[in-house]
Amino acid sequence: MEAQTQPAFTKAQVKPMHPRDLFDRLFAAYGPQHWWPAKTRFEVCVGAILTQNTAWSNVEKAIANLRREKLLTLKALAAADKRELARCIQPAGYFNQKAGYLKNFCRHVVGEHGTLAAFFRPPLPVLRRELLAVKGIGPETADSILLYAAGKPSFVIDAYTQRIVHRLGLSEEESYAGLKQFFESRLPVDERRFNEFHALFVEHAKRVCLKAAPWCGECCLAKECRKIGV
Ligand code: SF4
């Protein structure tokens, strides 16, 4: 497979896709992704925190360690010794920092709400504000928890999404909030659609729209892409 280097048409001739059509095209190419890869809603939260700045394969090792040490519950993590916790999650990188983030999240949920179900009960904007107020939870982590653990329709933006959106010329927007607004204002509010869309972006970025040398010749979006061959 060789990366395509010559554009078949100029950027000016390409009309930006509507996000709805982009979803349909990606779904037709890759099918349902069955995200998030976790056994419970709590594991989704833990994974969303641990996956910051690291590959998912490293997160899986860290979660396996937590499970083996019987630390993979809200109360166990809230009460865990921080050094022991850091040792368990070492494969995920930034382990001292992330141990603190995990404890912050779990202590907040246990202390303020008692259970994850109670924590997830408020409406999306209220819960999102609360999540963002926990030290270590940024917008991408908050939206991942909202969408994949709480089942609320909050569109997730990540580096893969930004890469594909900018290459396709869908939007020039650089900020997290601006890109989130771009999608949420153009799509029906639908948790299942948002769930699938984010997973499809990740799949497309990992399989075809690679960072350094995208496989444009193999791409299902090549006809509409403004970046092709650039
Ligand atoms: S979206 Fe497709 S055509 Fe565009 S840069 Fe990525 S791989 Fe190439």
Side-chain angles (χ1 to χ4, degrees):
M1 202 159 52
E2 290 183 1
Q4 184 167 332
T5 53
Q6 291 302 314
F9 32 76
T10 67
K11 289 181 183 182
Q13 291 173 289
V14 183
K15 187 170 175 250
M17 296 179 87
H18 190 283
R20 181 190 53 237
D21 300 327
L22 173 58
F23 175 87
D24 289 344
R25 194 76 65 80
L26 291 173
F27 191 79
Y30 303 117
Q33 298 299 300
H34 308 292
W35 267 43
W36 177 292
K39 289 183 180 158
T40 66
R41 301 202 299 174
F42 181 62
E43 279 189 38
V44 174
C45 300
V46 172
I49 291 168
L50 291 180
T51 201
Q52 297 172 14
N53 302 308
T54 196
W56 183 253
S57 54
N58 297 328
V59 175
E60 287 179 324
K61 290 175 196 154
I63 287 179
N65 289 347
L66 290 173
R67 184 176 288 112
R68 194 186 58 241
E69 298 297 325
K70 302 199 183 327
L71 285 173
L72 203 50
T73 69
L74 191 60
K75 288 185 179 164
L77 275 187
D81 176 74
K82 195 176 163 191
R83 275 183 302 183
E84 186 192 351
L85 181 52
R87 184 180 51 77
C88 280
I89 63 169
Q90 197 162 358
Y94 302 96
F95 43 89
N96 286 322
Q97 207 174 37
K98 288 180 182 177
Y101 295 168
L102 279 175
K103 284 187 68 70
N104 290 344
F105 173 76
C106 294
R107 288 167 83 167
H108 175 82
V109 174
V110 170
E112 300 295 323
H113 302 274
T115 66
L116 206 57
F119 175 59
F120 286 157
R121 211 164 283 144
L124 192 159
V126 175
L127 182 53
R128 190 169 194 269
R129 269 198 302 278
E130 194 171 337
L131 273 166
L132 289 172
V134 176
K135 190 175 176 200
I137 308 282
E140 184 185 334
T141 306
D143 290 326
S144 298
I145 291 172
L146 285 163
L147 183 60
Y148 292 105
K152 297 183 190 283
S154 196
F155 204 93
V156 179
I157 303 295
D158 66 357
Y160 296 134
T161 311
Q162 289 177 319
R163 182 195 306 165
I164 296 166
V165 165
H166 292 152
R167 285 177 171 177
L168 288 172
L170 258 60
S171 167
E172 300 295 319
E173 184 61 56
E174 296 281 347
S175 73
Y176 187 99
L179 277 172
K180 181 177 173 63
Q181 165 70 11
F182 173 82
F183 283 101
E184 291 186 348
S185 64
R186 286 166 176 77
L187 294 168
V189 178
D190 180 350
E191 171 254 327
R192 289 174 63 190
R193 173 71 61 104
F194 289 4
N195 175 324
E196 200 69 78
F197 211 155
H198 176 63
L200 288 166
F201 272 132
V202 174
E203 187 69 7
H204 185 62
K206 285 185 170 176
R207 278 167 65 157
V208 180
C209 198
L210 308 180
K211 189 174 181 181
W215 297 108
C216 300
E218 308 294 321
C219 181
C220 62
L221 308 171
K223 283 188 180 164
E224 289 84 1
C225 185
R226 295 183 172 197
K227 182 74 177 176
I228 185 170
V230 177

